Amino acid sequence: MIQVSDLDVSLSARQPRGPVTALVPPPACPLGGPLAAEDGPSEPVTAADLDALRLRAAMDAMPDIVLLLEPVRDETGRIVDLLHADVNEAAAQRAGAPREMVVGTVMTAVQPKALEDGLIGLFAQVIDTGEPLSADGVPVDDATTGEIRLFDVRGRAMGTGMVLMLRDVTQRERERADLARSEAQMRMLVENATDVVIQVLDGRIAWATPSARKALGHAGEDLLGRGIASLW
């Protein structure tokens, strides 16, 4: 499994280099009924049409960013860029542009340094090897706000390309960091306190300050796990 510790992904939208093409039609008809055209006879809904509509509904219902990427290869077959074949509404909202403006763009148009920074190569490895990608707390440059946010990133090969999912975990990671700092500060204060402080869980000592160990005449290791009643 590919593990990543540092990625820089920008989801700002740019004008597409060529015609914008969506992979699936907009859900303009009821499921199970005919595709009604404004002019001319209606056409029956095919199984492929239904699958496309279901995929679109499932993608847009997800709060996570979902990108369907297709490789752009050079004459030697090496992947040199990635095309946004489709994106969900969450991705479009993050980009600050309609989905139709994001679909059809290449990754280097959205993130000019994607090739230089190794991002294209990283995703190309998923496509070429089939190895899944998993990375937590990845910093992502949100160009629409100028803010660095943290994402859990998952990627898997699919067909000739890959699907990439990003979940915003900025608040979760900030809370974890704040809790770790708070615990460190509290431990420092308690460790340096002159008062006797003992933490007891289920009648046994789980933790004690250095002052408690000194007052009770025990080394720290001797106190841990002992029954509180045995000290007196």
Side-chain angles (χ1 to χ4, degrees):
M1 180 174 290
I2 304 167
Q3 297 289 336
V4 185
S5 60
D6 187 17
L7 294 179
D8 182 12
V9 184
S10 174
L11 297 177
S12 61
R14 307 294 173 85
Q15 293 294 330
R17 293 180 175 178
V20 176
T21 304
L23 292 185
V24 296
C29 67
L31 295 179
L35 288 172
E38 292 184 1
D39 298 306
S42 61
E43 297 179 0
V45 174
T46 66
D49 293 331
L50 291 176
D51 288 343
L53 291 172
R54 292 185 183 111
L55 175 61
R56 164 61 44 214
M59 287 179 59
D60 288 342
M62 298 181 66
D64 301 333
I65 294 171
V66 182
L67 308 174
L68 302 184
L69 304 173
E70 287 292 332
V72 177
R73 300 179 184 271
D74 62 13
E75 61 277 3
T76 67
R78 183 172 63 93
I79 296 177
V80 295
D81 214 330
L82 291 164
L83 178 77
H84 293 106
D86 204 357
V87 303
N88 69 344
E89 283 301 319
Q93 291 175 10
R94 179 71 62 175
R99 186 177 66 86
E100 291 76 11
M101 293 297 295
V102 181
V103 172
T105 61
V106 291
M107 186 167 287
T108 53
V110 174
Q111 176 63 29
K113 292 186 177 181
L115 186 60
E116 175 185 340
D117 293 343
L119 192 61
I120 300 296
L122 178 69
F123 295 156
Q125 189 174 354
V126 176
I127 296 173
D128 288 338
T129 68
E131 288 290 326
L133 168 67
S134 176
D136 292 339
V138 176
V140 175
D141 180 14
D142 187 344
T144 60
T145 62
E147 180 184 10
I148 299 296
R149 302 192 66 80
L150 302 175
F151 287 82
D152 286 350
V153 180
R154 301 291 183 269
R156 285 187 176 275
M158 186 179 70
T160 58
M162 69 176 294
V163 57
L164 186 66
M165 299 179 63
L166 300 96
R167 174 172 295 178
D168 193 331
V169 294
T170 305
Q171 188 61 32
R172 183 196 74 188
E173 294 299 320
R174 286 175 178 171
E175 290 174 354
R176 284 181 178 178
D178 290 343
L179 179 59
R181 283 192 296 268
S182 177
E183 289 177 344
Q185 292 170 353
M186 181 60 68
R187 179 170 291 276
M188 182 180 65
L189 290 173
V190 174
E191 290 283 356
N192 290 279
T194 58
D195 296 336
V196 173
V197 180
I198 298 175
Q199 182 184 28
V200 179
L201 296 176
D202 297 327
R204 296 187 177 277
I205 297 174
W207 178 82
T209 60
S211 56
R213 300 165 193 165
K214 182 177 179 180
L216 297 172
H218 292 273
E221 295 76 10
D222 295 337
L223 282 175
L224 300 183
R226 293 188 58 172
I228 188 66
S230 66
L231 299 179
W232 292 278

